[in-house]
Amino acid sequence: MGFWDLMIQKDDFIIQGINGLVAVKNRFSFGKQRIVKSMKKTYQNIDKGDEVYVVLNGPSLKKQNLSLLKGKDLMFVNRGFKHELYKELQPKFHVFVDPKLKSGVWPITWLDEILEMTPEVIFIMPVNWFHLEKLKPYKKRGVKFLWMLSNTPLNCIGVSGYCFKAAMFCGYKQIYFTGFDANGLAYELINHQSHFYGANEENNTKTSKNYVLDLLMHSRHLRDLQRLAESSKKKGVEIINLTEGGLLDMFPRKTIEESVKASK
């Protein structure tokens, strides 16, 4: 075993240990546990099929015909509501877990834009945001939320990881995903469009110090996806990659056309 293999195993061990401590802490956070328990009653019995389609925001989306997914259970994320077919597709879920929404870097009015197009959408957010002041008006209006508890805060799968976890939480046995090119950071480094809608303007202020952290997290990102691919099989859940190209070879691949045909 080489030096860098040992470094990967060392990081696995450290992160697994810290995540284990967080899981124990969450177990004794009775407020969070009560909220999650109520989420189980609501969303584990939700009217759904066996499959869900997670639509992420990679530039490869521009090459795909998402209209084929109309009528499917769809899960979009972040700025995904900017897709031209968003209103037509009527996603069942929309995921926000990035602290930028909490801090105000991303405007809370994005929720209003989404609700105008898809009034019945279910927002998936971290349970830590449950008491967030800026979300109270939406809760009073009866907007639907699925509050997720994360026992793995040091995993580097980001919003995609929340999507996969939420899909499993709701009981989906087949999780298709697309728009997950996993090379967005490389595009950022060369000032190229990293998403289907272009680039994230907040990244314009990044320095080399920021990119040192980003690159380290990106290596963990791929490692954690490898581990997710292994663990999901043991749980009897299929995660299938529909992305046009991209880096993710740890999941079996299909085209959107093949997935839709198979589900008929």
Side-chain angles (χ1 to χ4, degrees), residues 2-260:
F3 173 78
W4 293 109
D5 295 306
L6 287 171
M7 291 294 287
I8 291 171
Q9 289 198 359
K10 178 263 296 178
D11 287 348
D12 286 348
F13 179 78
I14 293 172
I15 290 172
Q16 186 175 346
I18 296 174
N19 284 337
L21 292 173
V22 171
V24 171
K25 180 182 178 183
N26 284 338
R27 203 168 292 133
F28 291 96
S29 180
F30 299 114
K32 291 180 183 177
Q33 292 295 340
R34 187 166 55 251
I35 294 167
V36 171
K37 187 176 181 180
S38 71
M39 294 294 99
K40 289 181 179 179
K41 290 180 180 179
T42 302
Y43 292 111
Q44 290 187 343
N45 297 314
I46 195 171
D47 181 25
K48 60 176 181 56
D50 289 330
E51 59 191 31
V52 65
Y53 287 76
V54 177
V55 182
L56 297 152
N57 293 337
S60 62
L61 279 191
K62 292 186 288 187
K63 304 176 185 178
Q64 293 186 299
N65 182 10
L66 294 191
S67 66
L68 295 172
L69 301 181
K70 189 173 182 178
K72 302 291 186 182
D73 285 3
L74 298 175
M75 189 180 293
F76 275 66
V77 307
N78 298 341
R79 287 180 172 91
F81 66 93
K82 294 182 179 293
H83 195 281
E84 61 183 358
L85 294 179
Y86 188 86
K87 184 175 182 179
E88 179 183 334
L89 292 172
Q90 291 291 297
K92 196 179 194 79
F93 306 96
H94 197 107
V95 183
F96 285 109
V97 297
D98 196 303
K100 293 171 188 171
L101 187 71
K102 179 181 178 182
S103 68
V105 174
W106 292 350
I108 197 66
T109 52
W110 281 1
L111 273 62
D112 298 292
E113 293 183 51
I114 292 168
L115 289 166
E116 187 175 344
M117 291 186 282
T118 55
E120 297 302 314
V121 74
I122 300 165
F123 289 111
I124 299 175
M125 296 186 183
V127 70
N128 292 346
W129 296 2
F130 182 80
H131 297 293
L132 200 61
E133 194 67 31
K134 63 177 67 179
L135 292 177
K136 287 182 179 179
Y138 298 95
K139 292 160 69 175
K140 287 180 181 178
R141 283 165 49 189
V143 173
K144 300 173 186 175
F145 289 90
L146 168 51
W147 305 102
M148 290 297 301
L149 181 66
S150 176
N151 289 329
T152 55
L154 292 191
N155 281 12
C156 293
I157 312 180
V159 68
S160 61
Y162 258 89
C163 291
F164 298 143
K165 181 178 179 181
M168 293 182 204
F169 182 86
C170 291
Y172 290 102
K173 296 300 182 184
Q174 283 188 315
I175 304 172
Y176 295 101
F177 71 86
T178 191
F180 197 175
D181 303 17
N183 53 18
L185 181 56
Y187 284 144
E188 282 184 26
L189 288 167
I190 60 174
N191 198 29
H192 193 71
Q193 293 186 351
S194 54
H195 297 77
F196 77 85
Y197 50 79
N200 292 336
E201 61 273 7
E202 63 267 21
N203 292 336
N204 293 335
T205 60
K206 282 188 175 181
T207 65
S208 59
K209 185 176 181 180
N210 298 126
Y211 282 118
V212 167
L213 294 174
D214 287 346
L215 287 163
L216 179 59
M217 291 178 66
H218 188 63
S219 69
R220 291 303 313 175
H221 180 81
L222 294 175
R223 174 64 172 162
D224 288 337
L225 286 169
Q226 291 168 349
R227 291 157 68 90
L228 173 66
E230 296 168 2
S231 64
S232 61
K233 289 179 184 177
K234 295 177 182 178
K235 295 175 182 176
V237 176
E238 285 187 282
I239 302 180
I240 301 163
N241 185 3
L242 307 180
T243 306
E244 188 82 17
L247 298 178
L248 303 186
D249 58 1
M250 64 285 292
F251 301 103
R253 284 184 179 269
K254 286 185 179 179
T255 64
I256 286 182
E257 290 79 6
E258 287 172 338
S259 72
V260 171

